[in-house]
Amino acid sequence: MTKNPFYLVCYYGQIPGHAGGSTALSSLIESSQEFAQSHRLTGLLAVTNGYYLHLVEGERQSVQGLVHHINSSWGHTPPTVLLSLAVTRPRYAQWSANVVERPAAAADMEQRLAHMRKFSAQDSMGAIPDLFRCFLMPSTATSAPGLLPPAPAPQTRGKVRQVAVFSSSLLWFNPIFSQVATRFRGYPQTLKASSTGRDADTFPIDYVDVVAGPLGPVRMVGISLDLLGSTLSHPLLSKVEIAVFLTRNNATGKDALLVEQALQHPAVLRSGPQVLLVTSGRDPDLSRRFFQQAAAAQLPTTELVASVLSGEPIWAAIAAMLDRMPEPHAQGAPPPSHLSPEQQGTSGPTSGLQPATPQPATEDLATAESASAVATSPVDLIALQRALDDAVAALPAGAWGGWLDVAEAQWLCMNGAIPDAAATTAAAESAACDAALLRLHRAATPDAATEPEELITTGSGHYQFTITLPPWPRLVLWLWADRESTNMTKARLLLRMALQRMQGKGT
């Protein structure tokens, strides 16, 4: 079988304090961009809240070269790999970086990272847009403190409905976003983004999250020309259901350019949204031109004659279009049939930045689970407990861990500074998610079938170790340790020795 020529890796990590300043950040982005251009790499590096999320694709050795270049500055803690696989062609046209600043630091970063790992385990390549949206723009379907009562709890209907609002003027986002936020008790957000890390190069990103009654959760994102020209537009425009274009009376110059570029954007063409043209109705020739451009992109189009400043009629048109559309694809469902196999491609992540030989991107979670359903060895609970005792002893004081039966979602045994029930339940969910990522890797990597595998996740103040052993595919050894007190090299060596002793004593 011919090997796929391109390699993709997506991972996240924490930026050390000394490397987070604007000068150091812009210098690393500049050198990384030069490396990417000279080696024909594409992808996106996103930075926010002291963390980074990096997707890079290209020839395998060049990809690993850029990863090493970035880790030489930020690699004080091990990154967590979400995806590592072979693909038939790159998804992006270029490599770029985006540094995003929030008005106030987000306090839920670790929770967001946990969601991202779950997305990858459930949907592999299909989760890439959600990874970047969750990382940079967490859901804010609640009101600002002291302004309005909190929003009702999100409803359970499907996924979040994605609406992109295109405008050449940043001022035109406010009327529609404020209208929706006031009606559904939301709170518009404005972020600052920069592709260089320099304040002089920033541009705003406006969005609002609401729970829109029977329509369920809806996210509206403002897309300006600056944002449309950024690689960040790819994840933001993926899975969009409605594309709204706000145009002025004669729609010349920037307006016409915005419509033309948006209707040719690869992510828009893959998503296949319905188009809502908001025009003055005074220029039939211009409306006809926009309809022709949308028809060339095979996108159904509706025209609304209204002012770009009139929030209520625009939202009413959006709501009517969303109500007529089917719910978004459930996680794990096949992508639209008009996409090419390369656009639909999925495969599994590896557990580190030195993956085995890439395999064709055709594996999914169901395939991985099937491949792991091999004959298993009987479980010796005494051997499990001894290995757990040795593993916890290899870590600093305060560490804890346990063996989890992922099929039953049940801890078989635990040891160390065991926390309360809520924490152990959350740990079980995290361990099960990590086990799914490792199963995906094992299914796509024949060499992994006989060796233990580990996934190390770095939190703000701790490490999580998830380890699987081929003889017991249902079991996961999960460990928690304080980051400041853990010597990673020594800990990994001692853990490996403990598992070797266990395998030597297994029945």
Side-chain angles (χ1 to χ4, degrees):
M1 181 180 293
T2 303
K3 293 181 179 179
N4 290 331
F6 296 102
Y7 177 63
L8 176 150
V9 63
C10 183
Y11 63 102
Y12 70 81
Q14 192 169 15
I15 302 174
H18 69 274
S22 59
T23 302
L25 192 57
S26 60
S27 177
L28 180 60
I29 289 174
E30 184 176 357
S31 62
S32 298
Q33 191 153 29
E34 291 175 356
F35 186 99
Q37 290 176 348
S38 63
H39 291 79
R40 299 182 179 179
L41 298 176
T42 59
L44 174 60
L45 172 66
V47 177
T48 191
N49 294 130
Y51 285 82
Y52 66 92
L53 174 64
H54 188 205
L55 183 150
V56 57
E57 53 193 1
E59 193 275 331
R60 183 183 179 190
Q61 290 185 346
S62 299
V63 167
Q64 293 180 333
L66 181 57
V67 169
H68 177 74
H69 175 73
I70 292 176
N71 282 1
S72 65
S73 296
W74 292 346
H76 73 303
T77 58
T80 298
V81 177
L82 298 171
L83 294 169
S84 180
L85 47 94
V87 292
T88 55
R89 66 179 183 182
R91 299 169 61 90
Y92 296 98
Q94 61 185 4
W95 185 95
S96 70
N98 282 97
V99 181
V100 176
E101 297 181 20
R102 302 184 59 81
D108 62 343
M109 198 66 202
E110 289 194 23
Q111 183 179 10
R112 274 190 274 163
L113 297 177
H115 285 316
M116 288 161 54
R117 289 163 46 224
K118 186 178 296 185
F119 294 159
S120 297
Q122 292 174 335
D123 213 7
S124 192
M125 286 277 284
I128 289 176
D130 300 319
L131 296 178
F132 282 95
R133 277 196 287 255
C134 182
F135 181 71
L136 294 173
M137 304 163 66
S139 176
T140 58
T142 55
S143 60
L147 293 183
L148 291 170
Q155 299 182 20
T156 57
R157 175 183 174 179
K159 289 186 178 180
V160 177
R161 318 296 296 273
Q162 301 287 338
V163 177
V165 181
F166 296 83
S167 171
S168 62
S169 173
L170 300 174
L171 299 177
W172 294 352
F173 295 132
N174 183 65
I176 177 61
F177 286 9
S178 296
Q179 165 67 30
V180 173
T182 301
R183 181 169 182 169
F184 297 108
R185 299 181 179 180
Y187 184 57
Q189 303 284 317
T190 299
L191 311 179
K192 289 172 56 181
S194 168
S195 58
T196 63
R198 301 184 183 95
D199 291 339
D201 299 324
T202 59
F203 57 89
I205 302 176
D206 295 286
Y207 73 103
V208 63
D209 289 312
V210 294
V211 181
L215 294 175
V218 175
R219 165 167 287 187
M220 302 179 69
V221 180
I223 307 294
S224 62
L225 272 169
D226 285 332
L227 181 53
L228 186 63
S230 164
T231 305
L232 183 57
S233 64
H234 285 260
L236 298 186
L237 291 175
S238 294
K239 306 182 182 181
V240 163
E241 296 181 65
I242 308 291
V244 182
F245 292 91
L246 306 178
T247 63
R248 65 191 79 190
N249 290 340
N250 55 12
T252 58
K254 289 185 177 181
D255 286 350
L257 179 64
L258 179 70
V259 174
E260 180 180 4
Q261 291 185 357
L263 293 178
Q264 296 176 358
H265 195 286
V268 172
L269 296 178
R270 284 196 298 268
S271 300
Q274 291 194 46
V275 172
L276 176 62
L277 293 171
V278 180
T279 72
S280 66
R282 299 177 184 176
D283 191 338
D285 290 337
L286 188 63
S287 296
R288 190 176 303 111
R289 173 184 168 188
F290 287 158
F291 269 88
Q292 290 172 345
Q293 291 174 337
Q298 300 182 10
L299 302 177
T301 305
T302 300
E303 182 176 18
L304 172 67
V305 178
S307 167
V308 296
L309 303 179
S310 57
E312 176 57 32
I314 296 175
W315 166 249
I318 294 172
M321 295 171 75
L322 287 173
D323 191 52
R324 292 195 301 266
M325 296 179 70
E327 294 183 27
H329 295 287
Q331 286 190 345
S337 58
H338 67 274
L339 299 186
S340 67
E342 291 82 359
Q343 292 169 320
Q344 298 178 17
T346 59
S347 183
T350 65
S351 56
L353 290 176
Q354 299 296 329
T357 302
Q359 300 295 318
T362 56
E363 301 289 349
D364 59 15
L365 182 57
T367 306
E369 290 174 340
S370 174
S372 65
V374 295
T376 62
S377 301
V379 176
D380 183 343
L381 292 178
I382 296 177
L384 290 182
Q385 185 66 59
R386 288 174 179 169
L388 174 61
D389 295 344
D390 290 343
V392 173
L395 299 173
W400 74 278
W403 285 99
L404 178 74
D405 183 332
V406 292
E408 300 293 335
Q410 179 179 357
W411 292 102
L412 299 181
C413 53
M414 290 189 287
N415 192 9
I418 302 170
D420 58 26
T424 57
T425 299
E429 294 176 356
S430 179
C433 172
D434 291 346
L437 294 175
L438 292 172
R439 284 199 303 273
L440 279 167
H441 175 232
R442 189 182 307 116
T445 311
D447 292 343
T450 59
E451 296 295 329
E453 293 184 290
E454 68 178 5
L455 183 64
I456 301 173
T457 302
T458 304
S460 60
H462 69 278
Y463 291 122
Q464 292 176 192
F465 300 82
T466 304
I467 303 170
T468 62
L469 298 174
W472 302 282
R474 289 177 43 155
L475 301 186
V476 170
L477 174 60
W478 192 89
L479 301 161
W480 185 100
D482 178 72
R483 202 172 87 185
E484 294 296 328
S485 308
T486 302
N487 181 317
M488 182 60 69
T489 301
K490 179 180 178 182
R492 293 183 68 188
L493 175 61
L494 293 175
L495 289 175
R496 192 176 299 115
M497 293 171 59
L499 294 175
Q500 287 173 349
R501 288 194 296 271
M502 174 191 170
Q503 289 180 295
K505 297 177 182 180
T507 60

